[in-house]
Amino acid sequence: MAGRCRCSALPAPRQGLMEEARRRLREFDVGDKFSRLPLPRAAVLLPLTEREGRLHLLLTVRSMQLRRSPGEVCFPGGKREATDKDDIDTALREAEEEVGLQPEKVEVICRLMPGIDKMNNLVTPVVGFIEDTFQVTPNPDEVSEVFLMPLEYFIKPLNYKTFPYKTSSGYSTQVHCFIYDDQEHKRSFKIWGLTAHFAVFLALVIFGERPTFEVDYDLDNLISSSENNFINLYAAIHEKKKSKL
């Protein structure tokens, strides 16, 4: 992680909130632990900012012009390119392309436990702090809207449901689905799937509280539990591939 932290001189009033979040996040940093797995790679940026004394996540709505998942809420991110040195480069490059967030305006904190999307891409969530003064400039070809959402909503939601889901490899899990009424945009956003999965885990790490809904983790052993869940998911995909040979 050397040389990756940028814009660390945050204003004093928010230093306590951010410093505690930094401390907890770094305990869960997986670095490049899973970089050798033989799966295509992708990365997303989980941009955190402080507003009115609370941590918020920046999320985007995919353009309706896109072929894959048009209109869905997601984090800035995408597939790794040959010029990307690592997952951090991928996440920062995609964030700049999608919402105009310059890499030097992001203080990268850590990489959390990856996920595997429905296309079997290994997706690494990169957590970074951004200033609340950041002015988004969405790329209309990729992003139709950008909004902020309180991080605590992902452990104490007002409108939440879950449903069982079985991956193409046969791995069974629960999918989180949040409906968030945004007063600023005067509309509701639906956050689900891998985006919700990453947001829930981020909130669990930072707040260290039990959510108001069930999760697939042993909350007393969150680090080992999350790693076991991921290994089981990857193993199911690996077995599926072997069975096709």
Side-chain angles (χ1 to χ4, degrees):
M1 297 298 293
R4 288 292 179 182
C5 291
R6 305 179 176 97
C7 303
S8 58
L10 295 171
R14 68 182 93 161
Q15 196 68 34
L17 179 70
M18 295 300 213
E19 196 53 47
E20 178 62 15
R22 279 189 195 92
R23 184 187 66 77
R24 294 187 63 87
L25 285 165
R26 285 172 177 151
E27 292 177 4
F28 285 79
D29 188 4
V30 301
D32 59 0
K33 183 175 182 177
F34 302 98
S35 62
R36 292 180 177 83
L37 293 180
L39 292 174
R41 302 190 67 81
V44 293
L45 182 67
L46 278 54
L48 278 171
T49 190
E50 186 270 342
R51 175 179 282 190
E52 297 175 352
R54 301 162 76 195
L55 289 173
H56 286 68
L57 265 178
L58 182 145
L59 293 137
T60 70
V61 180
R62 290 173 61 83
S63 168
M64 294 303 294
Q65 304 172 39
L66 295 173
R67 286 181 297 176
R68 188 171 63 84
S69 305
E72 290 196 2
V73 172
C74 64
F75 292 111
K79 289 186 177 181
R80 187 165 179 170
E81 294 186 355
T83 53
D84 297 335
K85 293 192 292 290
D86 54 22
D87 297 314
I88 295 174
D89 272 4
T90 301
L92 294 179
R93 174 183 53 75
E94 289 282 349
E96 184 171 25
E97 291 175 4
E98 292 180 14
V99 298
L101 178 58
Q102 297 172 334
E104 61 269 21
K105 298 295 185 183
V106 182
E107 180 194 350
V108 174
I109 305 299
C110 69
R111 285 167 280 187
L112 294 179
M113 191 65 61
I116 300 174
D117 67 14
K118 55 190 173 185
M119 304 300 291
N120 284 345
N121 294 303
L122 182 73
V123 186
T124 298
V126 177
V127 184
F129 289 157
I130 62 174
E131 290 286 358
D132 60 342
T133 53
F134 165 64
Q135 297 293 313
V136 297
T137 52
N139 176 351
D141 292 334
E142 299 192 51
V143 173
S144 62
E145 291 181 84
V146 179
F147 65 100
L148 288 177
M149 186 169 167
L151 180 63
E152 64 191 294
Y153 197 90
F154 291 104
I155 55 170
K156 298 176 181 178
L158 298 176
N159 192 339
Y160 168 85
K161 61 182 178 181
T162 185
F163 52 91
Y165 178 75
K166 183 174 284 191
T167 68
S168 59
S169 60
Y171 181 79
S172 296
T173 185
Q174 292 289 319
V175 173
H176 303 292
C177 181
F178 300 84
I179 306 297
Y180 176 63
D181 295 323
D182 188 296
Q183 299 304 313
E184 185 177 337
H185 290 80
K186 299 292 188 290
R187 82 177 196 83
S188 296
F189 294 100
K190 176 182 176 182
I191 305 95
W192 70 292
L194 197 56
T195 300
H197 170 81
F198 286 150
V200 167
F201 189 69
L202 178 67
L204 290 174
V205 168
I206 288 180
F207 295 120
E209 296 180 23
R210 293 186 176 272
T212 58
F213 50 88
E214 293 296 318
V215 291
D216 290 336
Y217 302 114
D218 174 358
L219 295 175
D220 295 321
N221 300 283
L222 188 54
I223 292 177
S224 58
S225 175
S226 61
E227 183 165 335
N228 288 338
N229 284 2
F230 172 76
I231 289 171
N232 290 337
L233 171 60
Y234 174 72
I237 292 170
H238 188 62
E239 288 300 316
K240 179 80 171 181
K241 285 183 176 180
K242 284 203 304 186
S243 69
K244 288 183 176 180
L245 295 178

